[in-house]
Amino acid sequence: MSLNVLHKINEPKDLKTLSIEELNLLSGEIRDVLIKKVSTTGGHFGPNLGMVEATIALHYVFNSPVDKFVYDVSHQSYTHKILTGRKESFINPEKFGTVTGYTEPKESEHDFFTVGHTSTSISLACGLAKGRDVVGGNENIVAIIGDGSLSGGEAYEGLNNAAASGKNIIILVNDNDMSIAENHGGLYKNLALLRETEGKAELNLFKALGFEYHFVKDGNNLESLIETFRKVKDKKHPVVIHMHTVKGKGYEDAEVNKEAFHWVMPFDLETKAPLFTGEYEKSYGDITDEFLLDKARKDKTIVGITAATPEIVSLSGIRRELKDQYVDVGIAEEHAIALASGIAKRGGKPVASFLSTFIQRTYDQLSQDLAINDNPATILVHWGGISDSDVTHSGLFDIPLISNIPNIVYLAPTTKEEHLAMMDWAIGQDKHPVAIRVPNSAVVSTGVEVEPNFDELNKYVTVEEGNEVAIIGLGSFFSLGKRVKDKLKEVGINATLINPRFITGLDEELLNKLEENHKLVITLEDGILDGGFGEKISRFYGNKSMRVLNFGATKEFTDSVPLEVLYERYHLTEELIIEDIQNVLEDLKTLV
């Protein structure tokens, strides 16, 4: 792989002496680097291939970091990182993994925010622009946002305020006619019209808001981009540049199959086969998808709702087969919850499905639009738990977020059979909104069918009777509780094992009964302890003699920390849990 031009580039100013011919050679070299590196490590593939020329042009015309770039989501910032002193992390396999997949101020003065969620760039850029103005600066502020991100409500809020500011702010809209999946919403009709008319249509959302508007027909053409960027540089009022790019440009498979190549696992460039293979085992996501499709086939009032991520939240079946029972709201989780509440109010049976990290955006709608009205929507929460994810995609916070809102019933299944029963009950009941934390683990199946009746709220299940120590294992950590119980038996302790099923409430009758022959209750939860499930148990026993140990994650942001390191840190290994239990029991002996 020839990198004759790239080897000369160590910082953005090195671009400014290059000819157009050299810049075009550079774009090809960077594209080759990205294809090689991302196919090796995995990561965002299509979004970065489409942004190569635009990123080169931005750094060629503007003066980063004095002029400031804010990337929406920032998953398309790989070329930006290569041009700002981090190219070795993309070229040298020994340094793969030394930079994150998103902008990160700790890595470079050219990055201004740690971000990984969508639709925030314009708001952040508005803040930078206002900060610039109040301290007397005069630099350019540029927000780079994809058309998919424009479906999120915060993007509209940012556009509305940016247009009214009357000051320098440049919004670069990267229009590749895609979100993660296909785009949905009326906005995209206007973008399509603007593409068809090369920006000349009278109907123009951006002009209507008050922006100066520029259209770039070929957003992968360096000369066109440089010409337009030069026109708008140092403008003293808000500007939108609407450029049309090709997602996945330069790699044919990614250009054709845009959704599959949005984010990829490592694969062989020659054979296209995954680098890491193994015997496929059905996941909880697969089981959920199959159940929902079968249920929706039989009941036309069921509506599956996704916020632009159908394939990873178990709605692919409904998406493909039952289009009238499927709604993709775009990247608009807030709208999805309010929509679900409205559907439920009118007699439908909405099933809104999200990743844990993205349901964080819905707090007000969960509380106001759904829970206060007590409308019986079903909410599925995927990928919740302690993980080795990057800091922007943590799934730690859904338990305290959802479980402390009145009227919402939050369930934590421990097995396939329990999960199916909970979904069946949630969709069929008409009393409350019900959320289900889809287990974030390998599938556990007992083969014993569970009755789909959870009408008696907050009723825990004692799975194995014991004494002295009670283990309450929530959801996917119930299996950890079972392993701890078995190992305690080896040291002469016959612990009680409890499956709480309900995250949102307490089985006071059961908890009171434990006081008869137990000294210690431990709770295990795959999430953050602060505001979580275990604290409810601790509070219940607060004025009693019962000792309680809560096991889960401490309140911190973690960034790609290996799971085994986190489990050790949080005392979530069988050995450390048992050691803590024995220490408490020894302490209790000294008190007698």
Side-chain angles (χ1 to χ4, degrees):
M1 184 167 54
S2 175
L3 302 176
N4 295 332
V5 183
L6 183 55
H7 280 315
K8 302 175 186 176
I9 307 301
N10 296 303
E11 53 185 329
K13 71 177 183 180
D14 296 333
L15 292 171
K16 300 183 186 298
T17 60
L18 299 182
S19 65
I20 289 294
E21 181 183 4
E22 288 174 309
L23 291 173
N24 278 310
L25 287 171
L26 176 64
S27 69
E29 292 176 7
I30 289 176
R31 193 165 271 114
D32 288 343
V33 166
L34 291 175
I35 291 170
K36 176 65 175 172
K37 192 269 182 186
V38 181
S39 67
T40 302
T41 64
H44 286 96
F45 197 81
N48 283 287
L49 293 180
M51 273 294 293
V52 173
E53 288 81 9
T55 308
I56 291 171
L58 283 167
H59 280 289
Y60 183 78
V61 172
F62 294 95
N63 181 28
S64 176
V66 176
D67 294 324
K68 295 171 177 56
F69 304 150
V70 184
Y71 286 87
D72 205 273
V73 186
S74 77
H75 64 309
Q76 78 287 53
S77 63
Y78 295 2
T79 301
H80 165 78
K81 292 197 174 199
I82 289 170
L83 297 175
T84 53
R86 291 167 276 183
K87 68 183 179 186
E88 283 298 307
S89 297
F90 293 83
I91 296 171
N92 184 351
E94 293 181 1
K95 295 194 175 180
F96 289 174
T98 58
V99 297
T100 72
Y102 304 91
T103 53
E104 174 51 75
K106 294 173 184 174
E107 291 176 6
S108 173
E109 63 179 347
H110 297 273
D111 296 2
F112 295 93
F113 299 100
T114 302
V115 290
H117 284 194
T118 191
S119 309
T120 68
S121 60
I122 302 172
S123 298
L124 292 169
C126 284
L128 287 176
K130 186 64 176 179
R132 170 201 63 200
D133 296 340
V134 298
V135 300
N138 62 0
E139 73 271 16
N140 293 276
I141 306 296
V142 183
I144 299 120
I145 185 168
D147 54 324
S149 291
L150 288 177
S151 63
E154 190 181 348
Y156 290 104
E157 296 167 16
L159 283 168
N160 188 44
N161 281 269
S165 71
K167 300 295 177 65
N168 169 279
I169 184 169
I170 299 164
I171 299 168
L172 177 60
V173 176
N174 174 27
D175 181 0
N176 58 31
D177 197 24
M178 282 291 291
S179 181
I180 298 171
E182 68 275 7
N183 283 321
H184 291 272
L187 162 70
Y188 300 104
K189 294 178 181 177
N190 190 227
L191 292 184
L193 177 64
L194 291 170
R195 291 195 303 270
E196 291 163 9
T197 61
E198 297 185 15
K200 298 181 177 68
E202 287 189 28
L203 182 62
N204 185 315
L205 168 70
F206 305 109
K207 284 185 176 180
L209 285 169
F211 288 98
E212 178 183 325
Y213 174 84
H214 296 264
F215 181 76
V216 180
K217 180 180 179 180
D218 184 355
N220 296 109
N221 181 286
L222 273 164
E223 291 177 86
S224 297
L225 290 164
I226 290 169
E227 179 185 356
T228 303
F229 292 167
R230 280 173 169 164
K231 283 180 184 176
V232 304
K233 184 182 180 183
D234 298 326
K235 291 272 189 177
K236 301 303 181 186
H237 53 262
V239 176
V240 164
I241 302 168
H242 175 197
M243 67 175 186
H244 182 213
T245 64
V246 177
K247 187 172 185 177
K249 184 171 176 62
Y251 190 78
E252 184 178 359
D253 289 7
E255 290 186 28
V256 173
N257 195 349
K258 293 178 170 62
E259 183 175 348
F261 279 88
H262 176 80
W263 190 92
V264 297
M265 293 291 286
F267 68 97
D268 187 291
L269 286 171
E270 294 296 323
T271 66
K272 313 298 171 67
L275 291 183
F276 305 109
T277 58
E279 187 175 339
Y280 181 76
E281 294 184 5
K282 188 175 285 190
S283 68
Y284 277 108
D286 297 328
I287 291 165
T288 305
D289 206 321
E290 291 172 5
F291 172 85
L292 292 176
L293 176 58
D294 182 63
K295 191 85 172 168
R297 283 174 181 152
K298 300 170 184 173
D299 186 346
K300 299 303 180 186
T301 66
I302 291 174
V303 181
I305 303 169
T306 180
T309 58
E311 298 299 312
I312 54 176
V313 295
S314 304
L315 290 175
S316 61
I318 292 177
R319 173 194 186 188
R320 290 181 176 86
E321 187 177 320
L322 304 172
K323 297 190 183 302
D324 289 342
Q325 293 172 254
Y326 171 75
V327 181
D328 186 338
V329 298
I331 308 176
E333 288 84 357
E334 303 93 331
H335 171 60
I337 292 294
L339 172 71
S341 184
I343 291 171
K345 184 68 174 179
R346 190 58 183 84
K349 297 173 182 175
V351 180
S353 197
F354 310 91
L355 297 189
S356 170
T357 185
F358 297 140
I359 205 167
Q360 294 171 183
R361 295 199 280 248
T362 68
Y363 185 81
D364 191 58
Q365 288 69 36
L366 284 169
S367 175
Q368 293 288 312
D369 299 310
L370 186 61
I372 286 177
N373 291 282
D374 217 3
N375 288 328
T378 300
I379 302 162
L380 300 179
V381 182
H382 299 256
W383 299 9
I386 302 163
S387 75
D388 57 1
S389 74
D390 67 90
V391 68
T392 64
H393 285 73
S394 172
L396 279 180
F397 306 111
D398 57 277
I399 289 178
L401 186 150
I402 298 171
S403 69
N404 292 311
I405 300 174
N407 290 341
I408 294 180
V409 178
Y410 199 9
L411 297 171
T414 65
T415 65
K416 166 188 169 181
E417 291 79 12
E418 208 166 42
H419 180 45
L420 291 171
M422 287 176 177
M423 286 192 290
D424 200 11
W425 175 76
I427 293 169
Q429 62 85 40
D430 61 1
K431 300 291 191 298
H432 301 290
V434 176
I436 299 171
R437 200 178 204 231
V438 180
N440 189 26
S441 65
V443 173
V444 176
S445 178
T446 63
V448 179
E449 190 172 332
V450 175
E451 182 185 359
N453 184 350
F454 301 88
D455 290 338
E456 190 176 358
L457 300 181
N458 306 324
K459 197 68 177 173
Y460 299 178
V461 177
T462 300
V463 179
E464 296 186 45
E465 291 271 8
N467 55 61
E468 195 170 19
V469 176
I471 302 167
I472 305 178
L474 182 70
S476 55
F477 269 14
F478 177 81
S479 58
L480 172 62
K482 170 63 173 166
R483 294 195 302 274
V484 169
K485 175 188 166 52
D486 291 344
K487 289 206 169 185
L488 282 172
K489 192 172 287 188
E490 295 173 9
V491 294
I493 299 172
N494 181 28
T496 295
L497 181 62
I498 297 166
N499 171 10
R501 290 184 169 176
F502 293 84
I503 307 175
T504 33
L506 299 176
D507 185 339
E508 296 190 6
E509 181 182 355
L510 181 148
L511 295 176
N512 279 321
K513 194 169 187 303
L514 290 178
E515 290 187 89
E516 296 174 6
N517 59 347
H518 291 76
K519 302 173 183 176
L520 171 66
V521 172
I522 76 162
T523 65
L524 304 170
E525 61 190 294
D526 196 3
I528 191 170
L529 288 171
D530 292 61
F533 171 77
E535 283 196 350
K536 294 177 174 61
I537 305 297
S538 293
R539 187 175 66 249
F540 176 83
Y541 287 121
N543 62 349
K544 305 174 190 293
S545 61
M546 182 74 78
R547 292 288 299 273
V548 181
L549 285 177
N550 300 137
F551 292 91
T554 56
K555 188 171 73 173
E556 63 174 340
F557 288 119
T558 61
D559 195 0
S560 303
V561 179
L563 200 53
E564 59 270 20
V565 174
L566 293 176
Y567 282 171
E568 192 82 13
R569 182 185 302 175
Y570 302 146
H571 278 215
L572 283 168
T573 67
E574 296 153 39
E575 292 74 22
L576 289 173
I577 292 168
I578 290 168
E579 183 181 323
D580 288 347
I581 290 171
Q582 290 176 319
N583 287 339
V584 170
L585 294 178
E586 283 299 316
D587 288 345
L588 289 172
K589 286 179 183 176
T590 64
L591 295 175
V592 175

